[in-house]
């Protein structure tokens, strides 16, 4: 059974859309469960909760809980995963949508192959659910972690990865609290034995539409602080020296991406300034190349070039 796990906070409208996409999935297959944790939201979830009640009256496997007080992001993800009883978990954003037919296709692999990890392609949608891009991953299979880790580590996007439940170890999940990426703690188990046989599948199916919308976290803190904290935890606790080397190489490559113009465009588009970035990572204030790239990104955004590009891509997607 596949467990779809959704932590939600203050996005009842998007969450309702998410539930409606899952309703279509339930109508195609009953071999799923839905686990939902509401993180003590301030906004009215009445309509969404009524739909959950309807699911229950139909006899569908649904668990819904509301936290008595708000808990941190990583702890909340851990909580909702701990609710799961299935063999595999899909941790889904409350603003994302599932693609029912593709989920059913992937479910067939779970029954036949029981892979450790399925990394999936996804469409990116905007706040109005229009497709504006994709997260493409080349389909294939890997039989060991060493061959797959660097290729897939940053492709395991929230909402686009299905994980065998037994790879989530409570103690390791807890060690990553405060990193904003504790849901990726399944890599701990895999990196402990990077050359041991495993079954990792990259699917061509796009099981989710991942929404590019306002998030309930600070973008700069997540990318310029929390990711580095996450690296330090992995480096300290991975038991295999080969696994630690893979982790180190990945984070060096990732830091280079964070300093790229492509990434900095997204930083500027969100309204962040150079001083705000360097306040989080002071050493970047002395990096001449980084400063130059930030200026280029700032000018590019002010000229409106990214908006023109996204609008053009959107038109192409609608035509196709």
């Amino acid at each position: 059974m596949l467990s779809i796990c959704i932590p939600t906070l203050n996005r009842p409208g998007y969450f309702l859309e998410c539930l409606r996409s899952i309703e279509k999935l339930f109508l195609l297959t009953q071999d799923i469960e839905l686990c939902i944790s509401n993180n003590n939201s301030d906004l009215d979830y009445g309509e969404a909760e009524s739909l959950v009640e309807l699911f229950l009256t139909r006899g569908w496997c649904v668990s819904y809980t509301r936290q008595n007080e708000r808990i941190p992001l990583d702890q909340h993800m851990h909580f909702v995963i701990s609710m799961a009883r299935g063999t595999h978990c899909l941790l889904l954003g409350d603003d994302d949508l599932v693609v029912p037919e593709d989920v059913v296709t992937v479910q067939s692999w779970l029954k036949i192959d029981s892979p450790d990890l399925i990394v999936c392609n996804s469409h990116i949608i905007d706040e109005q659910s229009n497709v504006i891009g994709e997260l493409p991953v080349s389909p294939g299979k890997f039989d060991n972690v060493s061959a797959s880790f660097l290729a897939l580590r940053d492709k395991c996007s929230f909402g686009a990865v299905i994980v065998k439940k037994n790879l989530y170890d409570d103690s390791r999940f807890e060690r990553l609290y405060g990193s904003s990426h504790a849901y990726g703690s399944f890599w701990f188990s895999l990196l402990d034995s990077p050359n041991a046989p495993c079954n990792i599948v990259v699917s061509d199916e796009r099981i989710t539409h991942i929404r590019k919308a306002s998030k309930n976290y600070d973008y700069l803190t997540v990318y310029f602080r929390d990711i580095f904290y996450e690296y330090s935890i992995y480096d300290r606790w991975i038991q295999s020296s080969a696994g630690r080397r893979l982790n180190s190489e990945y984070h060096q490559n990732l830091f280079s991406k964070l300093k790229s113009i492509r990434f900095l465009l997204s930083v500027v588009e969100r309204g962040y300034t150079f001083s705000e970035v360097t306040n989080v990572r002071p050493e970047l204030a002395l990096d001449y190349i980084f400063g130059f790239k930030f200026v280029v990104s700032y000018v590019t955004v002010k000229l409106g070039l990214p908006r023109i590009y996204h609008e053009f891509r959107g038109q192409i997607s609608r035509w196709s």
Side-chain angles (χ1 to χ4, degrees):
M1 181 168 65
L2 173 64
S3 299
I4 300 177
C5 305
I6 308 176
T8 184
L9 172 64
N10 284 339
R11 290 198 286 201
Y14 286 145
F15 179 57
L16 183 62
E17 286 186 56
C18 178
L19 288 180
R20 285 174 175 154
S21 72
I22 294 170
E23 181 179 23
K24 295 175 184 176
L25 175 60
F26 266 120
L27 294 172
L28 291 177
T29 177
Q30 296 293 295
D31 195 25
I32 60 170
E33 70 165 347
L34 178 59
C35 304
I36 303 163
S37 174
N38 186 326
N39 200 8
N40 198 247
S41 295
D42 304 310
L43 302 181
D44 180 13
Y45 270 68
E47 192 173 357
E49 289 172 348
S50 294
L51 186 53
V52 170
E53 289 292 330
L54 178 60
F55 290 177
L56 290 169
T57 62
R58 292 172 176 172
W60 295 348
C61 190
V62 180
S63 299
Y64 182 94
T65 188
R66 182 182 177 89
Q67 301 296 330
N68 293 324
E69 58 183 30
R70 194 161 300 166
I71 57 179
L73 174 65
D74 289 318
Q75 187 177 340
H76 195 214
M77 291 179 186
H78 193 184
F79 180 91
V80 74
I81 287 174
S82 71
M83 295 170 65
R85 296 172 295 167
T87 58
H88 291 77
C89 297
L90 168 63
L91 188 61
L92 188 67
D94 61 355
D95 60 337
D96 299 332
L97 308 175
V98 298
V99 181
E101 296 79 5
D102 283 8
V103 174
V104 171
T105 299
V106 170
Q107 274 184 296
S108 64
W109 301 353
L110 302 182
K111 297 173 184 176
I112 297 170
D113 241 0
S114 190
D116 298 296
L117 189 66
I118 300 180
V119 180
C120 300
N121 286 271
S122 296
H123 282 124
I124 303 173
I125 57 175
D126 62 16
E127 297 191 2
Q128 289 74 42
S129 301
N130 299 311
V131 175
I132 58 173
E134 61 181 340
L135 294 173
V137 195
S138 299
K141 290 189 175 183
F142 297 88
D143 58 11
N144 70 79
V145 178
S146 291
S148 65
F149 181 72
L150 294 178
L152 298 179
R153 180 66 171 86
D154 62 354
K155 306 296 184 183
C156 292
S157 303
F158 189 104
V161 59
I162 296 174
V163 183
K164 185 177 279 189
K165 175 72 184 301
N166 63 14
L167 290 178
Y168 279 119
D169 176 84
D170 286 339
S171 63
R172 287 170 168 175
F173 209 121
E174 289 170 2
R175 283 174 184 147
L176 282 166
Y177 282 4
S179 70
S180 302
H181 292 83
Y183 71 91
S185 62
F186 56 85
W187 282 113
F188 260 126
S189 301
L190 295 171
L191 287 170
D192 278 346
S193 304
N195 295 311
C198 67
N199 183 8
I200 296 176
V201 177
V202 180
S203 164
D204 194 36
E205 277 69 28
R206 287 160 170 76
I207 63 167
T208 52
H209 292 324
I210 296 178
R211 194 182 302 271
K212 186 177 181 182
S214 299
K215 304 300 181 183
N216 292 315
Y217 57 76
D218 181 74
Y219 194 74
L220 285 190
T221 299
V222 167
Y223 283 96
F224 285 96
R225 187 195 70 185
D226 293 355
I227 284 176
F228 295 90
Y229 174 68
E230 176 197 28
Y231 161 73
S232 69
I233 299 300
Y234 275 98
D235 189 58
R236 179 178 179 184
W237 293 104
I238 293 172
Q239 297 174 6
S240 161
S241 58
R244 288 195 297 274
R245 284 195 297 272
L246 284 169
N247 182 54
S248 177
E249 184 177 350
Y250 164 72
H251 276 274
Q252 289 174 13
N253 293 341
L254 178 60
F255 194 32
S256 295
K257 290 180 182 179
L258 295 184
K259 296 192 292 183
S260 69
I261 288 179
R262 182 175 182 177
F263 181 80
L264 291 177
L265 285 172
S266 69
V267 172
V268 177
E269 284 182 300
R270 284 172 168 81
Y272 292 106
T273 64
F274 181 76
S275 62
E276 287 174 318
V277 175
T278 55
N279 184 55
V280 177
R281 295 224 69 79
E283 67 272 23
L284 291 175
L286 303 176
D287 188 329
Y288 171 78
I289 298 299
F290 178 81
F292 174 75
K293 289 180 177 178
F294 197 95
V295 170
V296 170
S297 303
Y298 179 84
V299 171
T300 301
V301 170
K302 289 301 179 183
L303 290 175
L305 299 182
R307 177 182 54 78
I308 294 171
Y309 171 76
H310 291 316
E311 288 178 355
F312 176 74
R313 285 291 300 272
Q315 287 292 343
I316 295 295
S317 297
R318 284 188 283 273
W319 292 338
S320 59

